[in-house]
Amino acid sequence: MPFDFIPEERRLTQPEELLTYSYDATDHRGRPGLVLRPVSREEVVEIVKEAHETGTPIVPRGAGTSLSGGPVPADGAVVLDLTLMDRVREVREGDRLVTVEPGVVYAELNRHLEEYGLFFPPDPGSGSVCTIGGMVAANSSGIRAVKYGTTRDYVARLEVVLADGRVIETGTYARKSSSGYDLTGFFVGSEGTLGVFTEVTLRLLPKPTHYAAARLAFDGPGDAAEAVGRIIASGLEPAVLEFMDRNTLRTVEEYTGLGLPDAGGVLLIEMDGFDDGVEDSLKQAIELAGAGEVETATPREELWKARKAALPSLARRAPGLVLEDVTVPISRLPEMLQGIEEIAGEYGIAIATFGHAGDGNLHPTFLVEERDRNLEAALERLFSHALALGGTLSGEHGIGLEKKGYMDLEHRGSLELMKAIKRELDPGGILNPGKVF
Ligand SMILES: Cc1cc2nc3c(=O)[nH]c(=O)nc-3n(C[C@H](O)[C@H](O)[C@H](O)COP(=O)(O)OP(=O)(O)OC[C@H]3O[C@@H](n4cnc5c(N)ncnc54)[C@H](O)[C@@H]3O)c2cc1C
């Protein structure tokens, strides 16, 4: 029997067990042939070696919350469920580093780090369940990326099992290094196609102690986008600067009754730091923004409820929705939002847009019942518009299955180099086949 060195209770074969590994948070589906749940690097190595020898496709998987189809298996593939490898191995407090297994959940890691006064900042919306391995593989981020950057900025060192079962270590525990090519950065964002991460060392930051937040309402989305430009250009450093358009606000209000304004656009802003200076910074940002209506009285957790409810509320309104992830330079946000409105009108599709405006990352959400040609044409227009503005197809969700058809629009010449690297590292094409390209 294949992979029989993995004990039966961690070797899933029943149809109802396999079904739970057939999807992620998109509408893509695939039927795995087998699910293996390793508990150690040694088991991962043995699995990958056997897969290599037998030409069996393997799909690494964390919590399966991807919004790109990344962990959806090719039919018959072996899913490598890494969630049982969930130990925090070592906190090096003085070096501000933590070494973890790939299945550690983001929120649990930060809970663990509280006693050290440290944190790992990226904060994806799925942080209560998604794994560090999945975050590194997708280069995930979230509402705090405007100040703190993405997962890539925090990965110091990786242990990677390559497609033939060899184990390599990349990076360093030192603060800096000019030693050779940056292989760590190269594996970050590789979406399970170049290797399986079995250990991750992350850089950490001191956790802020003071926060101040506000909700700013504007007449139109363009006014909100221009306010973002002024705040960022001023040198103020918001920890969060989120946007919601009228469609999103109305849908969230319908489902939550939070008492949100019926505005053309809303910004949610938060300053963080280590003293009361955060209040002054917030005041300065509010003055620069010039919003029609400002709400600061509510506890900040109440303000965040609306943003956290955005995707769930839209998904209840349109269960077949398609959520995109285009990202543009901050100065081009007004044009991106204008383009989205035009696409909605031209293709007759309701689009609700929210996202991380502070770093130019928008989630235009196409409220459709199913995919059809009209939707595909509208998506191509969306991507072309973002790229024409100097942007990218994906700010944080990755390419997976969802956007692989558009990669040549963005990468042109360098796409061939990416494919050559994949062939060199995985000549048999067994690691997460069919993703990214
Ligand atoms: C409600 C909701 C909100 C979200 N909000 C955000 C957000 O704010 N920001 C954001 O960036 N994303 C967001 N996401 C998307 C998703 O949660 C993130 O991409 C997350 O980091 C994926 O982690 P995961 O453990 O679920 O990985 P999975 O979905 O299981 O896998 C993701 C990719 O990583 C690969 N992979 C997983 N583990 C490994 C490993 N150990 N070695 C090699 N490859 C591996 C998989 O093959 C796959 O390609 C959201 C998703 C949902 C459902």
Side-chain angles (χ1 to χ4, degrees), residues 247-261 306 309 313:
N247 265 348
T248 309
L249 287 165
R250 284 188 176 163
T251 310
V252 172
E253 184 58 25
E254 202 179 311
Y255 286 107
T256 62
L258 283 167
L260 300 172
S313 304

Side-chain angles (χ1 to χ4, degrees), residues 25 60-67 70-71 82 102 124-126 130-131 133-135 137-138 140-142 191-192 195-197 311 356 396-397 432:
R61 183 177 176 103
T65 64
S66 167
L67 286 166
L82 293 147
S126 52
C130 75
T131 66
M135 287 183 70
S140 301
S141 52
E191 302 190 34
V196 183
F197 311 137
L311 181 52
H356 318 304
E396 55 181 22
H397 297 161
N432 210 0

Side-chain angles (χ1 to χ4, degrees), residues 44-57:
V44 174
V45 169
E46 288 313 306
I47 292 167
V48 176
K49 275 188 178 159
E50 182 168 329
H52 174 65
E53 280 156 20
T54 55
T56 308

Side-chain angles (χ1 to χ4, degrees), residues 269-330:
I269 181 165
E270 182 169 292
M271 298 292 181
D272 68 3
F274 297 88
D275 56 38
D276 292 336
V278 293
E279 299 285 351
D280 289 339
S281 306
L282 182 66
K283 268 189 207 141
Q284 286 177 48
I286 291 172
E287 270 168 34
L288 280 169
E293 188 190 318
V294 178
E295 165 69 60
T296 50
T298 327
R300 66 189 248 281
E301 291 74 17
E302 288 295 310
L303 294 180
W304 294 119
K305 273 188 187 165
R307 172 61 183 84
K308 286 185 179 155
L311 181 52
S313 304
L314 293 169
R316 280 176 66 181
R317 176 171 159 192
L321 62 75
V322 173
L323 172 91
E324 285 308 336
D325 184 33
V326 285
T327 305
V328 294
I330 294 155

Side-chain angles (χ1 to χ4, degrees), residues 40-364:
S40 66
R41 175 188 59 210
E42 290 70 27
E43 284 190 352
V44 174
V45 169
E46 288 313 306
I47 292 167
V48 176
K49 275 188 178 159
E50 182 168 329
H52 174 65
E53 280 156 20
T54 55
T56 308
I58 326 177
V59 183
R61 183 177 176 103
T65 64
S66 167
L67 286 166
S68 72
V72 174
D75 283 344
V78 171
V79 171
L80 199 56
D81 170 359
L82 293 147
T83 55
L84 296 180
M85 293 180 65
D86 62 352
R87 280 176 306 165
V88 176
R89 289 209 174 127
E90 189 184 10
V91 180
R92 299 172 174 229
E93 202 176 349
D95 294 324
R96 288 195 200 151
L97 292 172
V98 65
T99 298
V100 300
E101 292 183 338
V104 169
V105 168
Y106 172 80
E108 278 166 22
L109 173 61
N110 274 332
R111 264 195 291 280
H112 185 92
L113 293 170
E114 258 167 33
E115 67 171 288
Y116 304 93
L118 296 170
F119 83 130
F120 170 46
D123 204 2
S126 52
S128 57
V129 288
C130 75
T131 66
I132 301 300
M135 287 183 70
V136 174
N139 187 27
S140 301
S141 52
I143 61 172
R144 287 176 198 278
V146 54
K147 175 170 180 180
Y148 293 104
T150 68
T151 297
R152 182 185 303 285
D153 302 311
Y154 296 88
V155 183
R157 206 165 175 277
L158 285 175
E159 179 184 86
V160 188
V161 179
L162 299 177
D164 58 5
R166 268 179 302 157
V167 181
I168 61 162
E169 284 157 17
T170 70
T172 171
Y173 296 114
R175 277 246 167 160
K176 59 188 215 176
S177 165
S178 295
S179 172
Y181 298 148
D182 177 10
L183 291 185
T184 307
F186 167 82
F187 279 104
V188 176
S190 59
E191 302 190 34
T193 63
L194 298 180
V196 183
F197 311 137
T198 45
E199 187 180 276
V200 180
T201 299
L202 297 167
R203 298 186 188 96
L204 304 171
L205 289 180
K207 190 167 192 274
T209 49
H210 289 61
Y211 299 88
R215 184 182 68 212
L216 315 177
F218 299 83
D219 289 341
D223 302 323
E226 279 164 20
V228 169
R230 285 194 295 278
I231 293 168
I232 299 294
S234 73
L236 287 168
E237 277 199 301
V240 182
L241 190 45
E242 292 288 302
F243 169 78
M244 292 194 286
D245 74 353
R246 192 188 297 279
N247 265 348
T248 309
L249 287 165
R250 284 188 176 163
T251 310
V252 172
E253 184 58 25
E254 202 179 311
Y255 286 107
T256 62
L258 283 167
L260 300 172
D262 188 23
V266 148
L267 292 179
L268 295 167
I269 181 165
E270 182 169 292
M271 298 292 181
D272 68 3
F274 297 88
D275 56 38
D276 292 336
V278 293
E279 299 285 351
D280 289 339
S281 306
L282 182 66
K283 268 189 207 141
Q284 286 177 48
I286 291 172
E287 270 168 34
L288 280 169
E293 188 190 318
V294 178
E295 165 69 60
T296 50
T298 327
R300 66 189 248 281
E301 291 74 17
E302 288 295 310
L303 294 180
W304 294 119
K305 273 188 187 165
R307 172 61 183 84
K308 286 185 179 155
L311 181 52
S313 304
L314 293 169
R316 280 176 66 181
R317 176 171 159 192
L321 62 75
V322 173
L323 172 91
E324 285 308 336
D325 184 33
V326 285
T327 305
V328 294
I330 294 155
S331 61
R332 311 303 294 268
L333 263 182
E335 291 159 271
M336 190 66 228
L337 284 166
Q338 176 68 32
I340 292 170
E341 269 190 31
E342 284 166 15
I343 292 167
E346 197 175 318
Y347 292 88
I349 300 175
I351 304 178
T353 302
F354 62 97
H356 318 304
D359 56 29
N361 187 182
L362 294 175
H363 296 316

